[in-house]
Each structure stands twice: as C-alpha cells, then as structure tokens.
C-alpha cells in the first residue's frame, strides 16, 4: 500500500484552487493514466465524463481517488478556467472528502486531438 502525503508549503502561499503544492509518495507501484477525453455538449459534461473515465481506470487497477498523486489538465480555451475551477469546487469535495487535493498543473493549449474536445486530464496514481 502506498504511503501518500499531500501537503501545501506555507512559504508558497495558499493554492489558487482545488489542488495542493506537492505529494510525497512511498510506493511499490505507480499508474500513469493517459490523458482522458470525453464527448459532451458542454464543458461541465466533458469534465464529468473525463473524471468518470479516470475513475474507471483507477478502479481497473484496484485503486481509487485516494491513490491519485498528480493531475495535469489541458484546456483549449482560457475562458474555461473559471468553469473548471467551479467544477472542481463542486465535485472534488465528493472525490477527496479529506480535502487533500492532488497537485494539478493546468495548461491552456491550442487544441486537443479533435476539435470537439475542450478538456483533457492526465493522471498519476500510486499503489
């Protein structure tokens, strides 16, 4: 079983959203989950689908949200940053009830593999 400690560094100030500054991990095995995409007619629908796929990948390895040590998020439109923050504010407390949110790097890029996709999330987990 992985020993995962998610924390913030006081000298770095408070994080700007639902994430932490760092994760310290002692584990015998890691999962590297490819960036997940999901179709949907709204940004929220795509976020829900993306995190649903991440959850399915985690479960397939006998893991859950508590095993996640890092996210990398890719958005196509900078205007979606507030929507992403709102989605996480609403959903992350359900996924991470202890309030320890994994570090997340957020990037705004030109586009994803197909133009219909607005968000992609890559995940690292420890077992």
């Amino acid at each position: 079983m992985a020993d995962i400690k998610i924390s913030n560094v006081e000298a770095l100030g408070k994080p700007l959203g639902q994430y932490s500054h760092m994760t310290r991990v002692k584990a015998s095995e890691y999962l590297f989950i490819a960036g997940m995409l999901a179709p949907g007619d709204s940004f929220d629908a795509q976020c829900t689908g993306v995190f649903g796929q991440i959850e399915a990948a985690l479960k397939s390895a006998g893991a859950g949200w508590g095993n996640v040590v890092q996210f990398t998020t890719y958005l196509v439109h900078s205007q979606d940053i507030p929507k992403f923050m709102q989605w996480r504010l609403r959903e992350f407390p359900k996924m991470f009830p202890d309030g320890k949110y994994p570090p997340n790097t957020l990037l705004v890029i030109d586009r994803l593999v197909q133009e219909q996709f607005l968000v992609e999330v890559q995940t690292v987990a420890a077992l």
Side-chain angles (χ1 to χ4, degrees):
M1 188 83 184
D3 179 20
I4 301 169
K5 292 184 172 81
I6 294 175
S7 63
N8 290 306
V9 178
E10 193 173 315
L12 299 176
K14 186 177 178 186
L16 299 176
Q18 270 39 53
Y19 68 91
S20 299
H21 292 134
M22 64 182 191
T23 304
R24 185 174 188 156
V25 181
K26 291 181 184 176
S28 60
E29 190 173 357
Y30 291 90
L31 298 175
F32 297 90
I33 301 171
M36 292 289 125
L37 301 161
D41 54 1
S42 71
F43 183 83
D44 270 16
Q46 288 193 21
C47 278
T48 299
V50 163
F51 281 93
Q53 289 185 11
I54 293 167
E55 184 175 33
L58 289 166
K59 284 182 178 178
S60 77
W65 295 116
N67 296 96
V68 174
V69 298
Q70 182 180 15
F71 290 120
T72 303
T73 303
Y74 302 89
L75 302 181
V76 175
H77 304 293
S78 62
Q79 300 89 333
D80 287 336
I81 294 171
K83 293 177 192 174
F84 184 62
M85 299 295 194
Q86 278 302 117
W87 190 91
R88 290 191 322 179
L89 244 148
R90 184 180 70 242
E91 299 299 327
F92 269 29
K94 299 173 199 170
M95 297 158 62
F96 304 97
D98 63 359
K100 294 186 177 184
Y101 307 120
N104 182 86
T105 297
L106 176 62
L107 303 158
V108 178
I109 61 171
D110 183 51
R111 67 167 276 184
L112 295 168
V113 68
Q114 293 177 6
E115 289 201 35
Q116 68 176 322
F117 298 117
L118 304 172
V119 58
E120 181 172 342
V121 180
Q122 181 180 9
T123 307
V124 178
L127 303 177

